[in-house]
Amino acid sequence: MDEDWPEFVGNDPAASTLLTWVPELFPASCVVATAGDRVIARGFSVPFAADVDGREETPDGGWSRVLRWAFTDRWTGRPVTAASALEITIDTGHLGRGLSYRMLAALRQTAARQGLPALLAPVRPTAKHLRPRLPMAAYVRERRADGLPTDPWLRVHVRAGGTVESVASASMTVSASLARWREWTGLPFDRDGDVEVPGALVPVHCDLAHDHAVYVEPNVWVRHTL
């Protein structure tokens, strides 16, 4: 597939160590769309136990937290109570053809077939990167005249029956040396403070003295009752 994910996104610790195992260990929770013999879209989700002490269905840790929970629950044999979407990726040559709706519907169906009452989604709003300094809580409150979210991807979820519940304030974290950030982005990272990076939903914090920069990405929890 031709993808348009920013390069730094795959360097969250959970993404780099666990995400590639999801289709193998949770095949009943993954879907693909094909055109001929070519995959043109994929959707990953995982079941997890949200009724364990110290857990909640929509944690602040968002995407990376539920991914870790799902693997722990599988290894320990713990009964699961919900599913969480992880990603829906559409081949860049097939954007704008309604595939996102169909992939979301397919993920809802996989969770329902497993007898789970809800599919949760730590949504990464697709237009938020255009306004990185606007707090996510303010961004998700913005609505069009018809009452739907202004963000296109949030709008897909709401139209599909999802309910916006909360902000996952630390859904993904990428921390690396300044050299790595320069490699990923082509930016100089030559001054302390917040750096706006193409594709990032919030600024990346640069610390010259300690030679590292940290990106903490917020996502938006959406609930799909099945």
Side-chain angles (χ1 to χ4, degrees):
M1 291 173 54
D2 293 325
E3 305 173 22
D4 60 355
W5 290 100
E7 188 172 357
F8 61 85
V9 167
N11 289 277
D12 170 271
S16 60
T17 58
L18 299 178
L19 188 62
T20 56
W21 289 94
V22 168
E24 182 170 343
L25 298 181
F26 303 96
S29 299
C30 298
V31 297
V32 296
T34 59
D37 60 356
R38 182 167 182 247
V39 174
I40 59 171
R42 68 171 180 264
F44 290 173
S45 65
V46 287
F48 70 101
D51 57 352
V52 176
D53 286 346
R55 292 188 184 183
E56 61 281 343
E57 284 188 329
T58 56
D60 287 344
W63 186 94
S64 58
R65 184 65 56 84
V66 295
L67 181 57
R68 293 184 176 97
W69 285 351
F71 274 75
T72 300
D73 295 340
R74 186 184 187 280
W75 290 328
T76 59
R78 183 179 286 139
V80 297
T81 62
S84 175
L86 296 176
E87 71 164 82
I88 292 177
T89 301
I90 311 295
D91 182 270
T92 55
H94 291 79
L95 293 171
R97 304 184 186 185
L99 269 176
S100 58
Y101 289 93
R102 298 172 68 181
M103 297 301 288
L104 178 56
L107 286 182
R108 287 167 54 112
Q109 290 166 8
T110 64
R113 281 198 295 267
Q114 296 175 64
L116 298 173
L119 173 71
L120 304 163
V123 175
R124 188 177 198 268
T126 51
K128 177 64 173 69
H129 69 100
L130 300 174
R131 304 168 71 189
R133 295 189 181 270
L134 179 68
M136 184 66 86
Y139 182 79
V140 299
R141 288 195 296 268
E142 294 187 346
R143 294 290 187 272
R144 304 191 314 180
D146 60 6
L148 291 171
T150 57
D151 184 82
W153 191 212
L154 284 174
R155 198 158 58 243
V156 168
H157 280 267
V158 172
R159 279 177 167 160
T163 302
V164 175
E165 290 213 336
S166 61
V167 172
S169 56
S171 194
M172 174 185 295
T173 301
V174 179
S175 179
S177 69
L178 300 184
R180 291 299 304 277
W181 279 102
R182 292 171 186 134
E183 176 187 340
W184 293 334
T185 66
L187 298 176
F189 277 89
D190 56 359
R191 68 175 188 270
D192 286 325
D194 290 341
V195 179
E196 294 186 16
V197 170
L201 307 193
V202 295
V204 177
H205 185 75
C206 175
D207 187 328
L208 294 178
H210 294 91
D211 187 36
H212 77 267
V214 180
Y215 172 66
V216 182
E217 178 174 293
N219 289 163
V220 181
W221 278 113
V222 177
R223 178 185 300 273
H224 294 267
T225 301
L226 306 176

